Amino acid sequence: MTASLLERPVAALRPVRRARMLPEGWPLYILLYGYPLWWFLGLQAFVWPIIAVPMALALLKQRSTRIPKGFGIYLLFLLWMFGSALQLSGISRVLAYVYRGSLYVSAAILLLYLINRPKNRVTSRSIVNGLASLWAVTVLGGFAGILFPHVQFSSVTEKLLPGSLAHNPFVYSLIHPGFADTTDLLGFALARPKAPFNYTNEWGSNLAILTPFAVYALVLARRQLWRWAIAVGLVASVVPIVLSINRGLWISLGVGVLYVAIRVGLRGNLRVLLGTLATIAVAAGVVVTTPLGNVVLQRIAHPNTQGRAYLYQQATDSAMESPLLGHGAPVSSSSGVAAGASVGTHGQLWTLLVSQGFPGLFLFVAFFAMLFVYTWRVSNRALWAHAAMLVALVQMPVYNWLPVQINLVMLAAVVCWLEVTADAPPRRGAAGPLTVWTPTPAGPRLWRRPRSKARRAVGSVLTAAPPEAGTDAELRKMARGGTFNLVAVAWMGLASFVLVIVLTRGLGPTGYGLVATAIAAFTLLSNVGELGADTGLLREIPRLLVQRRARDARALLRVSLIPVLFTGVGMAALVYIYAPQLTHILVRHTTNEDEVTYLRILTPFLAIAPAATVALAGTRG
């Protein structure tokens, strides 16, 4: 008689493969094609860390991860940035630090996520087309800023955030969309476009990086209609480019085009060279034969470099005061021609120098310089993606890379890597189970192979290969788990120590007491919201697996999660509504507005924290 399903071994009860509901690389497509929506909602500055969460989960599900050679330098930069938090003081600077830190981390996740996607599913063409769509939105935003310069509105995020947080100058600048900023720098009112970004300089920086991708998309276009549409868009983009009076945009974009022209000329490709020169000639002709030429001449006659020069000098002086760890975040300038401006916000180079000191600046620049060098041998058409990296590097002294530009550089590096390693098959390293990527001998060696026994051991731990049957395999499994637990405990202890220092210095003893009270209330409610399901799962799931009832274990997990999830959402809603009354109970019978804000900030996490704990208990079981 055929054995029943419940009597089969647990290993035989494998989940049925289902068709993918979302395409491979869907977080990237949501980011690029949905960018106008994120800008309208006021989330465009925060969407990169948000979408990095599913990317990180996808990486964790893999048995092994390809890591680019030199990526350890970027990890050292992140570690250095984490240490610079010890220099923070003031809630505004703490917010700025957390915001920038989340963007640095999400950019690293984006790079690892894309280089670990199947190359036949996430292609360079799909990435370039997505970036070209963002370029088109940026150009349209430029025209919207010119035609409707005074349009601005309150975003959904601005309306949902507590008033004290939404009206913070730094936060307000990130969540309040507008089409343009008006300036009288040239002696008359001129609209400088900024949609769909926060600042007009950010608009110019992103357009300079995205324009090479528009040319790349023109080269890859298969339909004549799309080619004509992109070509017309490139010519039309000259208007907002000139009227933005962004000199950094003009110079960096010119450097990128010149770079492509020189390299294709050295390779003897006259067709591409002549096409590039013709494009430059058409753009120059449009400027010279129209009133745009007068704007360029007026901008040259009004350099207005005094304010920036003073900020650069202030940034250098501030860096010398704390050359190793920096100040954690930009500092305020209280005197001189730039009084009130933030020192360290007028260029990525100065941001790093002031915030993370000289070592942080060196590590950051070294990593991206290595990416540029390692992807040097790209094809002629991919030179445009390589030029985008150069454009961003040229912009470092005058434009910031956050929140968008650093991600665009990562995407450019991925596109170049896909071109360089197009014919290289993946190969498992002979030294260990870590899957590495070995390009052809003609190309640059992009991925570091584990060479030493220590690195092979680390690779074995990271890939978590299934153990062989026997006592030794079980001991190795326990050792891996113990190692992970030790590292996690040490990291959590260090992070908690730094968090206490940062909050105390930023908020003062009273402010930190309010935050600690809110965290205590959050922890208590989160534990109540678990409804004891975590303990039940830890006991029941191992018993069901021993009895070869894997299907019942999965059903038990679903039944346990649903009421916990509903309870968490309900508690979060109640805390948000009755935060003033709850504060009256927690803070000695007084209603403190800061405590109300802290409680309401924690409510989204309260909605999911109990379910996350129960799900974790299920995996432990």
Side-chain angles (χ1 to χ4, degrees):
M1 179 180 295
T2 304
S4 66
L5 181 63
L6 294 180
E7 294 174 352
R8 294 180 185 177
V10 175
L13 299 176
R14 302 185 183 277
V16 179
R17 289 193 174 185
R18 300 177 180 177
R20 293 184 61 89
M21 298 181 63
L22 295 172
E24 191 74 52
W26 63 268
L28 177 65
Y29 304 140
I30 289 178
L31 273 172
L32 298 180
Y33 291 105
Y35 203 83
L37 175 63
W38 307 132
W39 173 75
F40 180 80
L41 296 175
L43 291 173
Q44 68 92 11
F46 310 101
V47 68
W48 299 94
I50 293 173
I51 299 297
V53 174
M55 294 183 183
L57 294 177
L59 288 171
L60 292 175
K61 290 171 62 177
Q62 297 179 178
R63 293 180 58 84
S64 59
T65 303
R66 292 192 295 268
I67 299 177
K69 182 180 179 181
F71 188 73
I73 296 178
Y74 195 80
L75 294 180
L76 287 176
F77 164 74
L78 294 178
L79 182 62
W80 201 267
M81 180 202 66
F82 181 77
S84 68
L86 297 173
Q87 304 295 101
L88 293 173
S89 60
I91 185 61
S92 296
R93 299 183 65 241
V94 171
L95 290 175
Y97 170 83
V98 173
Y99 166 68
R100 292 185 175 91
S102 65
L103 290 169
Y104 290 134
V105 173
S106 64
I109 294 173
L110 174 66
L111 176 67
L112 295 179
Y113 173 79
L114 288 177
I115 65 177
N116 282 278
R117 296 308 95 199
K119 294 172 66 175
N120 59 340
R121 295 183 182 178
V122 180
T123 62
S124 59
R125 180 186 296 273
S126 62
I127 298 175
V128 170
N129 288 339
L131 291 170
S133 71
L134 183 55
W135 165 82
V137 171
T138 305
V139 173
L140 292 176
F143 280 104
I146 295 171
L147 298 175
F148 311 102
H150 301 294
V151 173
Q152 55 179 309
F153 53 92
S154 298
S155 66
V156 176
T157 303
E158 184 178 353
K159 294 178 180 179
L160 292 179
L161 285 179
S164 58
L165 183 61
H167 290 91
N168 178 281
F170 177 74
V171 177
Y172 181 81
S173 66
L174 300 178
I175 62 177
H176 188 78
F179 281 0
D181 290 328
T182 304
T183 180
D184 57 354
L185 179 62
L186 305 184
F188 54 89
L190 180 66
R192 304 183 66 190
K194 65 177 182 179
F197 304 104
N198 297 319
Y199 305 100
T200 182
N201 283 343
E202 185 182 346
W203 180 90
S205 174
N206 283 291
L207 185 60
I209 300 174
L210 289 169
T211 299
F213 286 105
V215 181
Y216 196 179
L218 176 64
V219 175
L220 296 177
R222 296 172 179 174
R223 296 183 179 181
Q224 195 68 22
L225 177 62
W226 291 121
R227 291 180 181 176
W228 278 106
I230 297 174
V232 171
L234 286 169
V235 176
S237 66
V238 175
V239 177
I241 286 176
V242 174
L243 293 181
S244 68
I245 62 173
N246 281 323
R247 292 167 300 173
L249 163 59
W250 301 347
I251 295 173
S252 60
L253 185 56
V255 169
V257 174
L258 185 62
Y259 167 76
V260 174
I262 293 175
R263 289 207 60 184
V264 297
L266 293 176
R267 291 181 177 183
N269 194 323
L270 296 180
R271 181 180 177 183
V272 178
L273 176 59
L274 292 176
T276 304
L277 295 178
T279 303
I280 297 175
V282 170
V286 171
V287 173
V288 172
T289 58
T290 62
L292 296 176
N294 182 49
V295 175
V296 175
L297 294 177
Q298 290 290 330
R299 186 66 177 101
I300 295 174
H302 297 79
N304 190 33
T305 58
Q306 186 179 7
R308 275 187 174 268
Y310 179 79
L311 287 173
Y312 296 160
Q313 182 61 45
Q314 288 283 92
T316 304
D317 295 341
S318 298
M320 296 306 298
E321 295 175 2
S322 180
L324 291 180
L325 290 177
H327 298 276
V331 297
S332 297
S333 175
S334 57
S335 61
V337 296
S342 294
V343 176
T345 58
H346 291 71
Q348 184 65 24
L349 185 149
W350 309 104
T351 299
L352 294 166
L353 192 61
V354 173
S355 302
Q356 278 75 48
F358 288 94
L361 172 62
F362 173 78
L363 293 172
F364 188 88
V365 175
F367 171 70
F368 286 99
M370 290 179 68
L371 279 183
F372 185 79
V373 172
Y374 288 157
T375 55
W376 179 261
R377 296 183 182 179
V378 292
S379 62
N380 284 335
R381 63 181 185 179
L383 275 174
W384 290 107
H386 207 242
M389 300 174 64
L390 178 62
V391 168
L393 290 171
V394 171
Q395 291 180 357
M396 284 193 68
V398 293
Y399 288 148
N400 279 316
W401 276 21
L402 304 176
V404 183
Q405 295 93 312
I406 187 173
N407 296 284
L408 298 183
V409 176
M410 293 295 193
L411 292 174
V414 171
V415 171
C416 293
W417 173 78
L418 292 175
E419 287 285 336
V420 170
T421 61
D423 301 323
R427 187 174 68 187
R428 184 175 297 275
L434 181 63
T435 302
V436 298
W437 194 273
T438 307
T440 56
R445 184 163 167 268
L446 297 180
W447 313 109
R448 189 186 299 277
R449 180 183 303 168
R451 297 189 182 96
S452 64
K453 291 183 178 180
R455 290 174 62 183
R456 291 200 297 271
V458 172
S460 301
V461 171
L462 292 178
T463 53
E468 302 173 356
T471 305
D472 293 341
E474 292 297 328
L475 289 176
R476 286 195 296 271
K477 183 177 179 181
M478 292 178 61
R480 282 197 298 271
T483 302
F484 275 123
N485 288 336
L486 178 62
V487 172
V489 170
W491 175 256
M492 287 298 296
L494 177 62
S496 300
F497 174 73
V498 173
L499 178 64
V500 171
I501 294 178
V502 169
L503 291 178
T504 304
R505 296 187 61 176
L507 301 174
T510 302
Y512 175 70
L514 295 175
V515 170
T517 302
I519 293 176
F522 168 84
T523 304
L524 178 62
L525 293 174
S526 178
N527 290 336
V528 171
E530 293 163 12
L531 304 178
D534 54 334
T535 304
L537 286 177
L538 276 174
R539 180 184 185 279
E540 290 299 320
I541 285 184
R543 184 176 66 85
L544 293 174
L545 292 179
V546 169
Q547 297 175 357
R548 300 177 181 178
R549 297 165 58 188
R551 178 175 296 181
D552 292 344
R554 289 193 290 269
L556 177 63
L557 182 60
R558 289 193 299 269
V559 171
S560 301
L561 278 174
I562 292 174
V564 170
L565 185 60
F566 276 102
T567 302
V569 172
M571 288 194 305
L574 292 174
V575 170
Y576 189 91
I577 296 172
Y578 295 104
Q581 290 79 0
L582 185 59
T583 302
H584 185 74
I585 298 174
L586 295 175
V587 191
R588 293 187 178 181
H589 305 288
T590 61
T591 302
N592 187 289
E593 292 298 328
D594 289 338
E595 183 71 4
V596 173
T597 300
Y598 298 148
L599 287 174
R600 286 178 171 171
I601 289 175
L602 291 174
T603 52
F605 305 98
L606 180 61
I608 60 175
T613 303
V614 172
L616 179 61
T619 61
R620 293 173 61 194

